[in-house]
Amino acid sequence: MAMSVFSSPISPRALAIGVCVVSAIAGLPGCGKQGTELGGGSSEVTGSAGPVGAKGENKSLVKCDAPIATLALAENPNGYTMSSSYNLPSSPVPLVRLLAQQSGCFRVVDRAAGLRGTVQEQQLKESGVLRKQGNTVEKGKGYEAQYTLTPNLTFSEQDAGRSLGGVLAHIPVVRDLGALIGVVEQIKFKEAQVALLLTDNETTEQVSAATGSARTTDLGLGGLAFGGMGGAGGVGWSNTNEGKVIAAAFLDAHNKLVVQARGLQAKELPPPVAIR
């Protein structure tokens, strides 16, 4: 009786990664970077937002035709679950703030460094350091935040070497390469689970909540990295796999939140910022 090459069922994804590893060892083309996954496709938070609208934003970003209300973003009081060894920014709030402004669903007000700068300018004016006739920091001109958005983040890393080592051990062309099984242990799956919570500041009611998730794969072979290993690529949300998977998860959650936010009745908005 003919024996099956595989002694146990193997998922297509695991087999594909195993084949890529073999190709990388053999120097074969066709298996390069494993991209960040957002519901099956890669995605990153990019671009800008401002007086001329969103520029360079991700094509999958869900938007609104007009702003619903003013929005402030708050740091999660419980912090964020991610290791400092990944050399990532300490807070994802700036990332989510960009998404919120690019979507056009909210007019974002600053309750962090920008607000502290405004308060400092007001104090300098009252102490006599600044000119009295300046109108930049006059009292009573600040916009109130009608909603507050709070992010939550959990980042995890799972060693995939054991399962993939089992896959390669059943491939005839490589099962005799004993060193390969040890190399495969460098392969890791990186996953991010996030949530966005939207609260009405007038009523304190949580009016919307959304979760997001994403996964990316690192293929590290003998010191070579496909897609960036660990935090070696530098600090940021766009140049490491850890940062990319977190950014993708927040994009996923934000898109789901916008669908819910569209159902809210628009609040009365303050005058828009003057533009040319």
Side-chain angles (χ1 to χ4, degrees):
M1 179 181 296
M3 296 295 292
S4 172
V5 174
F6 299 103
S7 60
S8 60
I10 300 172
S11 70
R13 176 183 175 82
L15 180 58
I17 294 176
V19 173
C20 284
V21 173
V22 176
S23 299
I25 290 293
L28 300 177
C31 287
K33 174 181 176 181
Q34 297 296 315
T36 300
E37 296 179 6
L38 173 62
S42 62
S43 177
E44 298 175 26
V45 179
T46 60
S48 63
V52 296
K55 298 295 180 181
E57 74 279 14
N58 191 286
K59 299 304 180 183
S60 65
L61 179 67
V62 178
K63 299 182 178 181
C64 296
D65 295 331
I68 299 168
T70 55
L71 176 75
L73 283 96
E75 296 287 359
N76 192 302
N78 299 320
Y80 309 100
T81 307
M82 57 182 181
S83 172
S84 59
S85 64
Y86 295 120
N87 205 25
L88 292 171
S90 60
S91 168
V93 164
L95 192 74
V96 182
R97 184 182 297 168
L98 174 60
L99 286 171
Q101 191 167 1
Q102 284 181 330
S103 71
C105 298
F106 298 99
R107 290 175 57 187
V108 181
V109 295
D110 195 332
R111 292 295 182 264
L115 177 60
R116 291 193 294 271
T118 300
V119 172
Q120 179 181 353
E121 292 301 300
Q122 182 64 49
Q123 292 172 344
L124 290 172
K125 182 176 181 180
E126 292 176 349
S127 66
V129 174
L130 302 183
R131 54 181 182 157
K132 293 294 184 181
Q133 300 303 318
N135 59 7
T136 301
V137 290
E138 285 186 0
K139 292 182 178 180
K141 285 193 172 184
Y143 294 164
E144 69 277 7
Q146 296 163 324
Y147 288 97
T148 296
L149 187 63
T150 306
N152 185 62
L153 162 64
T154 301
F155 175 79
S156 66
E157 183 173 75
Q158 176 184 352
D159 188 350
R162 179 176 300 178
S163 60
L164 291 176
V167 173
L168 296 181
H170 289 87
I171 300 177
V173 72
V174 296
R175 63 188 173 191
D176 295 330
L177 301 178
L180 180 60
I181 305 303
V183 171
V184 170
E185 292 181 356
Q186 298 180 44
I187 299 175
K188 296 182 182 297
F189 292 136
K190 302 175 186 294
E191 299 180 351
Q193 300 283 337
V194 305
L196 294 175
L197 309 176
L198 185 66
T199 301
D200 188 321
N201 290 341
E202 181 179 2
T203 64
T204 72
E205 179 182 5
Q206 181 179 300
V207 295
S208 183
T211 61
S213 62
R215 168 187 278 199
T216 191
T217 306
D218 274 346
L219 300 181
L221 303 175
L224 299 177
F226 295 82
M229 287 290 288
V235 179
W237 302 113
S238 62
N239 54 2
T240 65
N241 270 355
E242 293 83 6
K244 289 177 181 179
V245 74
I246 292 171
F250 273 117
L251 177 60
D252 187 29
H254 183 273
N255 284 346
K256 296 173 183 175
L257 185 81
V258 167
V259 174
Q260 296 293 334
R262 284 170 171 172
L264 296 172
Q265 182 175 350
K267 293 181 179 287
E268 183 178 354
L269 292 170
V273 176
I275 61 175
R276 290 190 297 176

